[in-house]
Amino acid sequence: MITIGQLADYAGVTTKAVRHYHERGLLAEPGRDSSGYRRYTAKDAVDLVKIRTLANAGVPLTRIKDLLDADQDTLTAAITEIDHNLHDRIAQLRRTRDQLAQLRGGDRLFVSPEVADYLDDLRELGVSERQTHLERDGWILMQTASPEDASVWIAEKRELIADPEFRALYLEHDAAYDWSPDDPRLPALADRTRTWFASHHSRSETRPVHNPAIARLAAQSQPGASSPAWDRLAQLMKG
Amino acid sequence: MITIGQLADYAGVTTKAVRHYHERGLLAEPGRDSSGYRRYTAKDAVDLVKIRTLANAGVPLTRIKDLLDADQDTLTAAITEIDHNLHDRIAQLRRTRDQLAQLRGGDRLFVSPEVADYLDDLRELGVSERQTHLERDGWILMQTASPEDASVWIAEKRELIADPEFRALYLEHDAAYDWSPDDPRLPALADRTRTWFASHHSRSETRPVHNPAIARLAAQSQPGASSPAWDRLAQLMKG
DNA sequence: GTCGGACCTTGCCCCTGGGGCAAGGTCAAA
DNA sequence: TTTGACCTTGCCCCAGGGGCAAGGTCCGAC
């Protein structure tokens, strides 16, 4: 006959937890001694260890209660199932560890693998961090608003960026961000851009034309997403 | 500019959770559109994914809040630590899986390995399930009440059970449980038992004599722990 | 132009699995 | 006898949301 504190120590829990299990009907209330103290037997110790083992496996107390007075077959089946999702939870935690590692750097956590690859390509081309960041945010919004479209668009964009002519235009647009709005190179750049789009437009399929400026537009609402030169460029291309 | 539902889907959470993060100050309240709906940007999406990644790793929301506006070094250090105890938790879950497997059978969950081995020995000797169970419960109580004594006693008991003479006595005591209290074998058994203890008592060391009936005594308060024949036997041995 | 269904808003109460603390009563050893 | 470590009940608190109510809004179909 042991006390609640001894029982609790045996199972590695607090006395509070033991009383909690009494309240929830998981552990039978034991007899009391002459001063009202609870007095436990070995059976209680066995039951408590079972409770803790199941609880450690993440089984809710209400279910533990049911399992404790279920027949052997039910219990065995339940344990098999509990073990299965314990296995799954371990796998999940491992995945979380990987994601945690990616939190240190890289965008792979925030966009699809295809977009992440595309962003890596941009960095390799020497595209500015500002621009890459702008693109990333654009793709996040696109993927969120319409994942299927985004997946089509990213495929097109990756083809596009493989074209040396487009690549040159893209890099010059990137550089233009810091130019003066009066810079004489702007009208010429606008012109070349329009020409390029005109000559590649016909290749587009029946679905809505994918303007590569969409990424920029999507990110437009963010602070610092444009510059005087870019505003001017947009005007020139419209006119 | 996306809505709360789109943002929530992107991160795989509910809108309720997103609002919860606003209330807790984890995620900045975004601007509202003309009808009062929250409108989110890519930055919010990035922040939300960070929040979820940390939350999945078991980091409390209050700490996540601190980490989100900590400097890079602090964050990196924190991530390292979080990864560490994620590793520990995975190990813990694996241990839980092992214990879960033992819940299907065996007493190793409830007593020390030494006692478990001793119980296995008893079963191998042909000791009844009733008696083994009684012993187990006795050891649980002993280990709970005084783990150091229990560890000394179990060592002694394992030596004792190695003695063929003691083994025979033990098995006969076990069998006697079901005898009639008038059974003529009882006085003889009591006699042999006393003789054996007398001749082995001198071998005992200075610490209190370890009477092998202690296990039975400890379990005495349990229902069905004795029988008419055993009661008679106890009387005979006292007299 | 209006209808239905899917969205959004705030607010409040509910759940699990206990922890903390109060205000006592009890036990054992020095 | 006193002291410290137990035990008792009772009540409130926490995270991390879920559920539901009672509305307002948006968008596409008819």
Side-chain angles (χ1 to χ4, degrees):
Chain A
M1 297 305 257
I2 55 176
T3 68
I4 195 171
Q6 292 176 306
L7 178 71
D9 285 353
Y10 169 78
V13 300
T14 62
T15 60
K16 190 93 184 201
V18 173
R19 292 197 194 99
H20 193 61
Y21 299 151
H22 287 320
E23 278 170 28
R24 302 280 156 138
L26 274 145
L27 194 58
E29 273 280 1
R32 307 289 180 119
D33 67 12
S34 60
S35 51
Y37 288 15
R38 292 178 180 84
R39 290 295 172 165
Y40 295 89
T41 68
K43 176 172 191 307
D44 298 310
V46 167
D47 288 349
L48 184 51
V49 167
K50 285 184 187 168
I51 291 170
R52 280 317 308 170
T53 304
L54 291 169
N56 286 338
V59 181
L61 297 193
T62 51
R63 187 164 181 216
I64 293 179
K65 182 182 175 182
D66 295 343
L67 287 181
L68 287 179
D69 33 50
D71 57 294
Q72 187 59 41
D73 284 2
T74 311
L75 180 66
T76 307
I79 287 182
T80 304
E81 178 221 323
I82 291 163
D83 186 68
H84 264 47
N85 62 50
L86 212 44
H87 183 272
D88 291 351
R89 276 181 44 204
I90 289 174
Q92 181 60 56
L93 285 186
R94 268 203 275 264
R95 256 171 275 138
T96 300
R97 278 188 86 188
D98 292 345
Q99 295 182 347
L100 207 53
Q102 302 208 346
L103 207 54
R104 291 189 53 164
D107 301 315
R108 295 198 175 263
L109 256 183
F110 313 116
V111 293
S112 68
E114 293 77 25
V115 172
D117 288 346
Y118 168 67
L119 294 177
D120 285 346
D121 289 349
L122 290 189
R123 283 192 198 91
E124 221 169 296
L125 278 178
V127 171
S128 68
E129 258 315 302
R130 174 189 42 69
Q131 176 63 18
T132 320
H133 197 275
L134 224 53
E135 285 255 6
R136 186 200 68 175
D137 286 1
W139 288 107
I140 287 176
L141 290 181
M142 275 189 272
Q143 289 191 338
T144 307
S146 176
E148 320 82 37
D149 287 343
S151 120
V152 173
W153 291 345
I154 189 62
E156 284 182 15
K157 189 99 193 234
R158 291 180 76 186
E159 275 180 49
L160 229 51
I161 207 76
D163 174 351
E165 217 175 327
F166 181 84
R167 239 165 24 217
L169 275 173
Y170 188 101
L171 283 168
E172 204 168 341
H173 268 263
D174 182 16
Y177 183 90
D178 296 316
W179 295 352
S180 151
D182 308 320
D183 196 297
R185 288 169 295 182
L186 284 176
L189 175 55
D191 227 45
R192 268 184 296 144
T193 306
R194 277 202 297 194
T195 309
W196 191 89
F197 273 107
S199 69
H200 289 75
H201 185 232
S202 54
R203 257 190 31 196
S204 251
E205 300 169 40
T206 48
R207 77 178 105 73
V209 176
H210 170 229
N211 186 322
I214 279 185
R216 227 160 285 150
L217 288 171
Q220 205 90 49
S221 43
Q222 286 185 274
S226 194
S227 76
W230 272 14
D231 290 345
R232 173 90 180 109
L233 200 54
Q235 266 192 332
L236 286 169
M237 285 178 26
K238 258 202 305 199
Chain B
M1 297 306 260
I2 55 176
T3 68
I4 195 171
Q6 290 177 306
L7 177 72
D9 285 353
Y10 169 78
V13 301
T14 63
T15 60
K16 190 91 184 201
V18 174
R19 292 197 195 100
H20 192 61
Y21 299 152
H22 287 321
E23 278 170 28
R24 301 282 155 141
L26 275 147
L27 194 59
E29 274 280 1
R32 309 288 182 118
D33 67 13
S34 59
S35 51
Y37 287 17
R38 292 178 179 84
R39 289 296 173 164
Y40 295 88
T41 67
K43 177 173 192 307
D44 298 310
V46 166
D47 288 349
L48 184 52
V49 167
K50 285 183 186 168
I51 291 171
R52 281 317 308 171
T53 304
L54 290 168
N56 286 338
V59 181
L61 297 193
T62 52
R63 188 166 180 215
I64 294 180
K65 181 182 174 182
D66 295 342
L67 286 181
L68 287 179
D69 33 50
D71 56 293
Q72 187 58 42
D73 284 3
T74 311
L75 180 66
T76 306
I79 288 182
T80 305
E81 178 222 322
I82 291 163
D83 185 68
H84 263 46
N85 62 50
L86 212 44
H87 183 271
D88 291 351
R89 277 181 44 203
I90 289 174
Q92 181 59 57
L93 284 186
R94 269 202 274 263
R95 257 171 275 139
T96 299
R97 279 188 84 188
D98 293 344
Q99 296 183 346
L100 206 54
Q102 302 209 344
L103 206 55
R104 290 192 53 167
D107 301 315
R108 297 201 120 70
L109 255 183
F110 312 118
V111 294
S112 68
E114 293 77 24
V115 173
D117 288 346
Y118 168 68
L119 295 177
D120 285 346
D121 288 349
L122 290 189
R123 284 193 199 91
E124 220 168 298
L125 278 178
V127 171
S128 69
E129 258 315 300
R130 175 190 42 67
Q131 175 64 17
T132 319
H133 197 275
L134 224 53
E135 285 256 6
R136 186 200 69 174
D137 286 0
W139 288 108
I140 287 176
L141 289 182
M142 275 188 272
Q143 289 191 337
T144 306
S146 176
E148 320 80 37
D149 286 344
S151 121
V152 173
W153 290 345
I154 188 64
E156 285 183 15
K157 189 100 193 233
R158 292 180 74 186
E159 274 179 51
L160 229 51
I161 206 77
D163 173 352
E165 216 175 327
F166 180 84
R167 241 169 18 222
L169 274 174
Y170 188 101
L171 283 168
E172 204 168 341
H173 268 262
D174 182 19
Y177 183 91
D178 297 315
W179 294 353
S180 150
D182 309 320
D183 195 297
R185 289 169 294 182
L186 282 177
L189 175 56
D191 227 43
R192 269 184 294 142
T193 305
R194 276 203 299 197
T195 310
W196 190 90
F197 272 108
S199 68
H200 288 74
H201 186 231
S202 53
R203 257 191 29 196
S204 250
E205 302 170 36
T206 49
R207 74 178 109 73
V209 177
H210 171 228
N211 186 323
I214 279 186
R216 228 161 284 149
L217 287 173
Q220 205 90 49
S221 45
Q222 285 186 274
S226 194
S227 77
W230 272 14
D231 290 344
R232 173 88 179 109
L233 199 53
Q235 267 190 332
L236 286 169
M237 284 180 24
K238 257 202 305 199

